[in-house]
Amino acid sequence: MYGLEGRRAVVTGAAYGIGLAIASRLVKEGCAVALWDIDAASLEAARADLARQGALVTTHLVDVSDLGQTSRALDATISDWGAAPDIFVNNAGIGQVASILDATPEDFERTMQVNVRGTFNCCHLVAPLMCDRGNGNIVNVASWFGKSGRPMSLAYCASKFAIIGMTQSMGLDLAKTGVRVNAVCPGTIADTRMREQADEAALSKGLLPAADREHLIPLGRLGKPEDVARVVAFLVSEEAGYMTGQSINVTGGLWMN
């Protein structure tokens, strides 16, 4: 355990997959957690599951690519708690399996709006509150696709490269305020909606699904959402108190740098 009892954490894209695993881990660490997502049914199911574990959980329906919605969700979350978040995890994201030859301008724009603008919107609103207080932790969920261009992933790679750059820039800008900003870079993670969608798209294009590429991973298995959640819990703890601007690989050895 990382001594996070009493902290207040927001997790975006928290209704399932990696986001839900992060929220669940932070609950186990003693945090009050606000789940943000655009999927109302899954959001309620996640809330009910965590509440059964005795967690203090609130939910807000929000599209983080919309600054107005994001601002209202943050105001409501602060009202729920009576205080600003101590921890903010930017996990909401989408992606397409497409190259420059078949990516549509609309899909590219939507990916950038959710992944990049969504991360900006949340940080734009929450970072000043953390700076005023003199402490806080922001974790952005990037990807190993943000460290090396990958085939058939034009928009997704562009967005995740951008998130790593934003993490480094914010880490430098906010360091003297007591606010730390880091990122996690998941590899091939099973049991997520994005993984299911990517595998369906890959198959439709004659490409192999993730399970058929498992043998390429040095640790011999696909990642689990909980693998990512454990690293997030570490990054927002004082155990990582001398880390900022870092982008940590969680890839089973598939990517190293």
Side-chain angles (χ1 to χ4, degrees), residues 10-11 18 20 67 71 91 95 112 114 117 127 132 140 144 162 169 183 186 195 210 217 225 242-243 245:
V10 175
V11 182
I18 291 173
L20 180 54
L67 182 60
S71 181
N91 170 72
M112 299 302 284
V114 174
R117 182 59 185 269
D132 287 345
N140 300 320
W144 73 295
S169 183
R195 176 79 272 137
I217 300 172
Y242 199 54
M243 295 175 63

Side-chain angles (χ1 to χ4, degrees), residues 26 42 57 59 85 90 110 117 136 145 180 182 230 243:
L26 293 177
S42 296
V57 180
T59 61
N90 287 296
R110 183 58 181 162
R117 182 59 185 269
F145 279 40
R180 296 190 295 108
N182 291 290
R230 283 191 286 269
M243 295 175 63

Side-chain angles (χ1 to χ4, degrees), residues 1 21 34 53 75 117 128 132 177 180 185 191 218:
M1 303 298 283
Q53 301 175 36
D75 287 345
R117 182 59 185 269
D132 287 345
T177 73
R180 296 190 295 108
C185 298
D191 303 324

Side-chain angles (χ1 to χ4, degrees), residues 86-250:
D86 303 293
I87 296 164
F88 203 103
V89 182
N90 287 296
N91 170 72
I94 60 174
Q96 292 85 38
V97 178
S99 74
I100 189 62
L101 300 177
D102 54 0
T104 68
E106 294 78 14
D107 283 346
F108 184 89
E109 178 64 20
R110 183 58 181 162
T111 300
M112 299 302 284
Q113 283 291 319
V114 174
N115 296 6
V116 181
R117 182 59 185 269
T119 298
F120 169 83
N121 285 344
C122 293
C123 293
H124 172 69
L125 294 168
V126 78
L129 303 179
M130 291 181 171
C131 291
D132 287 345
R133 190 179 54 211
N135 62 73
N137 276 281
I138 296 171
V139 176
N140 300 320
V141 178
S143 170
W144 73 295
F145 279 40
K147 294 190 171 183
S148 175
R150 306 298 300 166
M152 301 299 291
S153 302
L154 177 75
Y156 189 70
C157 282
S159 71
K160 296 302 184 177
F161 268 87
I163 288 172
I164 290 174
M166 291 167 67
T167 298
Q168 293 175 358
S169 183
M170 287 190 289
L172 291 169
D173 289 339
L174 303 183
K176 291 183 179 179
T177 73
V179 178
R180 296 190 295 108
V181 186
N182 291 290
V184 288
C185 298
T188 308
I189 308 297
D191 303 324
T192 71
R193 190 166 296 181
M194 188 179 290
R195 176 79 272 137
E196 293 169 0
Q197 293 170 345
D199 282 350
E200 290 175 5
L203 287 168
S204 73
K205 295 175 183 291
L207 304 173
L208 294 175
D212 290 347
R213 294 181 275 114
E214 188 176 53
H215 65 284
L216 299 174
I217 300 172
L219 288 184
R221 66 172 176 86
L222 300 179
K224 300 176 182 178
E226 293 75 16
D227 293 320
V228 181
R230 283 191 286 269
V231 177
V232 171
F234 165 72
L235 286 174
V236 301
S237 76
E238 289 307 309
E239 297 297 314
Y242 199 54
M243 295 175 63
T244 197
Q246 303 305 305
S247 299
I248 308 302
N249 298 326
V250 190

Side-chain angles (χ1 to χ4, degrees), residues 68-93:
Q69 287 190 38
T70 306
S71 181
R72 289 189 291 274
L74 182 58
D75 287 345
T77 299
I78 292 172
S79 179
D80 292 337
W81 291 332
D86 303 293
I87 296 164
F88 203 103
V89 182
N90 287 296
N91 170 72

Side-chain angles (χ1 to χ4, degrees), residues 7-9 27 30-35 47 50-51 53-58 80-81:
R7 305 283 182 87
R8 296 168 295 270
V27 162
C31 295
V33 177
L35 313 178
R47 184 206 63 77
L50 292 177
Q53 301 175 36
L56 178 59
V57 180
T58 59
D80 292 337
W81 291 332

